[in-house]
Amino acid sequence: MPNITIQQMPKTVEQKRELAARITDVLVDVYKAPAETVHVWFQEVTTEDYAAGGQLVADKLAKK
């Protein structure tokens, strides 16, 4: 069974719904996996929980 984990900043339910459907479609097409065996997990973090280039994203955004 294919398991996909998406790590991202928070998104809307509609966006996650569409992404899960599209990812499932691709895995069904490429892997010939039954759709019901495709699992997609969303792990969401805030800008305070993510750093890039040694700085929290929240701090980078605050400087703009």
Side-chain angles (χ1 to χ4, degrees):
M1 105 181 82
N3 297 303
I4 305 298
T5 303
I6 308 295
Q7 295 176 319
Q8 64 184 19
M9 300 295 195
K11 304 295 182 204
T12 67
V13 171
E14 293 81 13
Q15 289 172 312
K16 290 185 279 189
R17 189 176 288 125
E18 181 176 347
L19 185 58
R22 289 186 186 202
I23 288 170
T24 299
D25 289 345
V26 168
L27 287 169
V28 167
D29 184 47
V30 174
Y31 286 176
K32 309 303 182 215
E36 60 273 6
T37 68
V38 177
H39 297 178
V40 180
W41 284 274
F42 294 96
Q43 295 178 342
E44 295 188 323
V45 296
T46 68
T47 58
E48 296 168 353
D49 297 323
Y50 172 64
Q55 285 188 302
L56 289 177
V57 172
D59 295 340
K60 287 182 178 187
L61 294 173
K63 290 179 183 177
K64 287 186 177 184

